[in-house]
Amino acid sequence: MPVKVLGAGANVLIRDDGFDGVVVRLDQPGFRRETWSGDEVEVGGGVNLMSFSKSCSENGISGLEGLAGIPATIGGAIRMNAGGHNGEIKDVVSEVEVVHTSGSRERLNRDQVGFDYRRTDLKDRIVVGARLSLRRDDPQKTRLRYAENFGQKRRTQPMAERSAGCVFKNPPGRSAGALIDQAGLKGTVCGGARVSARHANFIVADSTATSSDVLRLIDLIRDRVALIFGTVLRTEIEIW
Ligand code: EPU
């Protein structure tokens, strides 16, 4: 039976007919542990990145300020190498603990994870924990950096609406959002799904939206951008 692990569900689109298999969430206490030794922390795969990065930054622990406001679990963030212009989770990961579908456990050092732009080589290995290397800094500085990054995200992205984050990866050297915007697609609607007017790489959903609405809009955007710019956009979100 196919098995999928759902992190915070922030970068996933599930088709309207559902997923025929087992969906696991790592929300038991053991997957939410945080064990500190000096500036190193061992965190469970189910730890919420958004609250963890906030509490570290509030307490003068530096390294996660660039990930301010990213909705994810630690496991999901590592699996996708979550991040943005101000940093990626790979910058602070020293080791990752995974479970294979066979049930065996393995610890990988960061070089074995194959971190790249919004991807890793982990495939169907399940991230159950990680060791992060952070560092002490002046709490005023970490709070300020966190607030700046969070504020920038709030100003430029539709954080108050329902979305799955950026839909497409940026093509090398270009911005998917800018291409979609320049193609005149902001505000384009398919059923209950709409290209955000704030940031064109986000599709926002109203309460009537179905997955097929979002998928039709994804196809429309991809076709239009390919026609105008000759660039084929690839999805960043996972479609189940
Ligand atoms: N732009 C437009 N119109 C738009 C959106 C963007 O012209 O509708 C322009 C901006 O003005 C800017 C450029 O495109 O000159 C890049 O935009 P932005 O700074 O918003 O960054 P991005 O490349 O679109 C990336 C990540 C985001 C991350 C931000 C900030 C990708 C696909 N997206 O966006 O990640 O939050 O940087 O660090 O890599 C995500 O992965 O889900 C995500 C939201």
Side-chain angles (χ1 to χ4, degrees):
M1 189 174 276
V3 177
K4 293 249 186 223
V5 181
L6 187 67
N11 226 202
V12 176
L13 178 70
I14 300 167
R15 289 180 191 275
D16 293 322
D17 44 2
F19 170 70
D20 190 12
V22 177
V23 177
V24 178
R25 292 199 76 179
L26 305 182
D27 57 4
Q28 294 299 309
F31 294 118
R32 290 169 175 254
R33 69 192 186 281
E34 285 172 27
T35 315
W36 289 89
S37 65
D39 294 345
E40 296 260 305
V41 61
E42 190 75 38
V43 276
V47 166
N48 182 299
L49 175 68
M50 195 123 91
S51 19
F52 186 68
S53 59
K54 184 163 191 251
S55 80
C56 286
S57 307
E58 271 172 2
N59 292 298
I61 296 162
S62 180
L64 295 168
E65 301 94 310
L67 305 184
I70 296 182
T73 58
I74 290 285
I78 289 176
R79 166 72 204 282
M80 305 271 307
N81 188 20
H85 298 307
N86 302 318
E88 292 174 320
I89 190 117
K90 76 163 171 41
D91 304 337
V92 295
V93 171
S94 54
E95 280 178 2
V96 175
E97 185 181 8
V98 294
V99 170
H100 293 253
T101 43
S102 63
S104 61
R105 283 161 76 153
E106 191 183 7
R107 277 190 90 84
L108 307 171
N109 65 46
R110 51 169 294 142
D111 298 330
Q112 294 172 297
V113 177
F115 283 116
D116 203 342
Y117 170 55
R118 292 300 192 285
R119 70 171 297 279
T120 58
D121 292 335
L122 293 172
K123 300 201 176 87
D124 53 3
R125 285 176 284 180
I126 300 166
V127 177
V128 292
R131 174 171 284 268
L132 309 182
S133 298
L134 304 168
R135 58 189 181 280
R136 293 252 149 217
D137 198 354
D138 177 352
Q140 278 190 334
K141 289 187 183 157
T142 55
R143 280 180 210 144
L144 184 66
R145 282 196 293 266
Y146 182 90
E148 279 172 358
N149 290 328
F150 194 84
Q152 187 190 12
K153 199 168 162 67
R154 257 229 308 246
R155 277 192 305 280
T156 58
Q157 298 180 5
M159 284 179 78
E161 290 178 276
R162 295 160 203 230
S163 80
C166 280
V167 174
F168 298 100
K169 293 188 182 190
N170 286 338
R174 310 190 77 171
S175 156
L179 292 175
I180 301 166
D181 189 356
Q182 285 157 27
L185 291 169
K186 275 188 170 171
T188 306
V189 169
C190 276
R194 174 171 41 85
V195 178
S196 165
R198 185 166 293 194
H199 193 301
N201 200 8
F202 283 70
I203 292 179
V204 292
D206 70 21
S207 58
T208 69
T210 61
S211 274
S212 343
D213 294 340
V214 179
L215 290 166
R216 276 191 294 135
L217 197 47
I218 287 174
D219 284 344
L220 185 155
I221 294 167
R222 202 193 266 122
D223 289 352
R224 193 72 65 83
V225 168
L227 191 70
I228 298 175
F229 300 105
T231 301
V232 179
L233 295 176
R234 312 227 170 267
T235 47
E236 169 182 314
I237 57 172
E238 278 203 18
I239 300 165
W240 292 5

